[in-house]
Amino acid sequence: MFTGLVEETGEILKVEEGPFLRVHIAARRVLEDLKVGDSVAVDGVCLTAVRVDGEGFWVELAQETLRRTAPTWRVGHRPNLERALRVGDRLGGHFVTGHVDGVAELLEVREAPGAKDFYFLPPKALAPYIAEKGSVALNGVSLTVAGLSGEAFWVTLIPHTLKVTNLGGLRVGDGVNLEVDLIARYVARLLGRS
């Protein structure tokens, strides 16, 4: 379980093909107490550290993970990183599981007073789970949905978020990992809508 409050952006150093995609990610802060077997949210994807070294950590991605996530598993990409919650940690953001639901496409960026509005198009099947003033995680960042526009939604990003996450480097047409709000998913299931 995560909060969606990014601790740092890392850098993908190496990618190895095989039965699983093995990815080496440079990090500093998340390495402070990271051990093999620990969970790390990498651009919002809950992954297990399978090896830890002085530069960073290694993860393995199954085909299901690759199918559901944005195609950013390449050398040089700077993923958002967050270690898993511990009992007793403060819970800022919202409950983020690291189970990505799909990829949303950046449609437009508009200037807003002191911030920027980012408009995203989610996969059609996920649109009903996104509500104005509800929560979403985009590349692992906990955000409030500022508004809806047809099937699209937008979030307002303050300068701090643009600086400490990889969202500020997005370009129109880029995909981001989208996790809808956990509560919305369960309410829909209870109501028989999923």
Side-chain angles (χ1 to χ4, degrees), residues 50-84:
V50 297
R51 193 167 122 208
V52 179
D53 59 35
E55 286 185 285
F57 61 100
W58 288 82
V59 295
E60 296 175 333
L61 290 84
Q63 290 304 308
E64 171 67 5
T65 304
L66 295 171
R67 185 178 67 78
R68 285 194 183 262
T69 61
T72 54
W73 305 106
R74 62 183 181 279
V75 172
H77 176 65
R78 300 191 55 82
N80 296 320
L81 303 175
E82 179 189 356
R83 289 172 288 186

Side-chain angles (χ1 to χ4, degrees), residues 108-178:
E108 181 180 1
V109 178
R110 293 183 189 171
E111 293 293 328
K116 291 184 180 184
D117 290 335
F118 282 58
Y119 287 75
F120 291 93
L121 182 64
K124 193 170 189 73
L126 298 178
Y129 299 104
I130 300 171
E132 187 171 344
K133 303 304 175 204
S135 297
V136 292
L138 299 176
N139 277 1
V141 181
S142 173
L143 296 164
T144 301
V145 176
L148 304 172
S149 178
E151 294 290 310
F153 67 94
W154 77 87
V155 294
T156 300
L157 302 181
I158 62 173
H160 175 77
T161 305
L162 293 168
K163 180 180 177 183
V164 301
T165 72
N166 63 15
L167 298 179
L170 293 174
R171 295 194 171 113
V172 170
D174 284 348
V176 294
N177 295 324
L178 167 65

